[in-house]
Amino acid sequence: MTYTIKDISKLTGLPASTLRYYDKQGLLPSLKRDDNNIRIFTDEDCRHLKLIDCLKKSGLSIKDIKHFIDLTGSGDNAITERREIFRKRREILRKKLENLKEVFNVIEYKCWYYETACEAGTEAAVKNLKPSDIPEKFRKARERLHNVIYSPE
């Protein structure tokens, strides 16, 4: 099946301006055009755009995505290098997820903290609680906040 830029924009959630930019950057090497030079997208182009969007959201630059796409044109000669791109992305994202989980836990703790203070009508009710009086699931986050030495990792 073929699609217009408007159709593919709806299918992928990518603005038409982004699709044109990706085309100009060489990220859509198999994109066809009709006799009037209008872009014609296929189901394969749609899948390709969804992968590009995923790579972009994972933090890969347009330049690095272009490199990956160039590697796909090399076929099996570049499968090892392509695999390594995904392995590196996976490791970077794993670390980001771990950091986000810690941030989320601190936010959860602070929600509990302020909800408890609001119920008591005063922050003093929770401010000086002993760690053993704090629900166990929040103790690590509280400890992280109260440590004088901060380690972002």
Side-chain angles (χ1 to χ4, degrees):
M1 187 163 195
T2 61
Y3 307 94
T4 65
I5 199 164
K6 184 178 177 181
D7 296 332
I8 210 76
S9 179
K10 285 181 184 175
L11 287 170
T12 63
L14 296 169
S17 58
T18 298
L19 297 170
R20 288 185 199 97
Y21 176 74
Y22 287 174
D23 185 25
K24 288 178 184 175
Q25 294 302 310
L27 302 184
L28 303 168
S30 62
L31 187 63
K32 305 284 187 240
R33 291 179 180 259
D34 68 12
D35 294 337
N36 296 319
N37 206 29
I38 304 286
R39 293 172 182 90
I40 302 170
F41 295 86
T42 64
D43 290 331
E44 185 60 30
D45 293 321
C46 185
R47 286 188 288 277
H48 191 76
L49 284 163
K50 287 179 180 181
L51 178 59
I52 291 169
D53 189 47
C54 178
L55 292 172
K56 185 79 175 116
K57 287 176 180 174
S58 80
L60 222 56
S61 68
I62 294 295
K63 179 183 173 185
D64 290 337
I65 295 171
K66 172 74 166 104
H67 176 66
F68 169 77
I69 289 168
D70 291 344
L71 290 173
T72 62
S74 298
D76 288 347
N77 293 327
I79 58 173
T80 302
E81 192 173 350
R82 286 184 279 157
R83 178 189 65 190
E84 288 310 306
I85 290 169
F86 281 94
R87 283 182 171 176
K88 286 178 186 174
R89 270 297 99 196
R90 179 178 59 190
E91 184 58 23
I92 289 167
L93 289 173
R94 186 191 62 74
K95 287 178 182 176
K96 283 183 179 184
L97 283 170
E98 286 176 11
N99 289 337
L100 277 175
K101 185 177 178 184
E102 287 184 27
V103 169
F104 181 80
N105 289 338
V106 168
I107 298 299
E108 283 276 278
Y109 161 69
K110 292 306 271 186
C111 285
W112 169 83
Y113 178 95
Y114 287 110
E115 286 166 8
T116 304
C118 286
E119 288 172 14
T122 178
E123 191 175 353
V126 288
K127 192 171 193 169
N128 296 316
L129 286 174
K130 294 181 281 183
S132 59
D133 294 333
I134 294 171
E136 187 174 343
K137 68 180 182 175
F138 300 127
R139 290 179 191 161
K140 190 173 182 180
R142 180 187 183 277
E143 182 180 316
R144 180 173 170 83
L145 285 175
H146 288 204
N147 281 343
V148 175
I149 299 173
Y150 178 72
S151 172
E153 291 186 21

